[in-house]
Amino acid sequence: MTRTLTAMPASAGRPRVGQDLLRRWQGLAARERGMLLLMVLAIGGAALWVGWWEPLQKQRVQLQAELPRLRAQQRQLHDLLGTLHRQRTAAVITAASLRTRLKEAGLQQQATLSESPAQWQLAVREAPADTLWNALLPVLANPAVQVQELTLERTGNPNMAAARVSGTIVMKRNGSGGAR
């Protein structure tokens, strides 16, 4: 006796999952279906809460805690930028600013500034040396101003403690430092 075995399809021995679930769903009472739907909504809502809403709220709380610190840093940066702008504006040396500097130092009678497009010539007569240098050193430290010629000699009584000088200082203006 020989038996012939025929191959059966793989799904022939077991029912399909989708059909089985649909058959079971239809077998439930309306009240049971409502409770199952409510349970699925509750689980979905809880998953949404834990997976999406709660992390967003934690991030919001952290950002609100950081906000005052960031605002303080913004104010500090704004103040620093304002200071930098004022310093850069003050660093631009013009003939008018040099005249103002000499006047503030009390050298308006002893110093005469004449200007040409590329240079300034400062003529000094009997000016106190320390006052002159205190007024000119910030100007000469600016990279836009370069000393081309310096001819000064000590004048007055050589026994005086405070030296007085007379002569000329020729300064070349480079780039934007020579703006009028």
Side-chain angles (χ1 to χ4, degrees):
M1 269 206 260
T2 56
R3 277 194 181 175
T4 313
L5 296 175
T6 58
M8 291 178 56
S11 62
R14 58 189 162 103
R16 289 188 180 160
V17 176
Q19 289 175 349
D20 187 38
L21 285 176
L22 183 62
R23 189 176 38 84
R24 286 185 184 192
W25 178 258
Q26 290 171 347
L28 293 175
R31 181 176 165 208
E32 291 171 336
R33 285 182 195 171
M35 286 177 28
L36 277 174
L37 282 174
L38 184 63
M39 181 183 68
V40 165
L41 286 174
I43 290 173
L48 234 117
W49 177 271
V50 170
W52 180 67
W53 184 257
E54 192 173 7
L56 279 178
Q57 289 302 314
K58 284 181 183 177
Q59 185 179 16
R60 180 177 160 263
V61 168
Q62 288 173 347
L63 290 176
Q64 282 180 340
E66 286 287 314
L67 196 58
R69 183 184 64 83
L70 292 173
R71 283 192 176 139
Q73 285 180 349
Q74 178 189 17
R75 281 190 299 273
Q76 287 175 340
L77 285 174
H78 182 70
D79 293 343
L80 283 174
L81 285 174
T83 302
L84 179 65
H85 178 68
R86 285 189 300 278
Q87 287 175 346
R88 283 190 178 167
T89 303
V92 174
I93 304 296
T94 62
S97 67
L98 183 54
R99 281 188 184 96
T100 303
R101 184 177 291 279
L102 292 170
K103 184 177 180 181
E104 287 173 355
L107 297 171
Q108 68 269 18
Q109 299 299 322
Q110 292 94 354
T112 306
L113 181 67
S114 58
E115 59 181 308
S116 67
Q119 67 184 18
W120 295 320
Q121 184 171 349
L122 181 64
V124 181
R125 292 178 324 274
E126 295 287 325
D130 56 345
T131 307
L132 178 67
W133 289 122
N134 287 338
L136 288 181
L137 280 178
V139 173
L140 299 176
N142 190 320
V145 178
Q146 181 182 19
V147 176
Q148 277 189 316
E149 181 184 332
L150 176 64
T151 309
L152 292 177
E153 62 182 51
R154 185 175 179 152
T155 58
N157 187 354
N159 295 328
M160 287 184 356
R164 294 200 171 267
V165 292
S166 294
T168 60
I169 302 171
V170 178
M171 296 169 272
K172 179 180 177 185
R173 299 182 295 180
N174 301 321
S176 66
R180 289 185 181 197

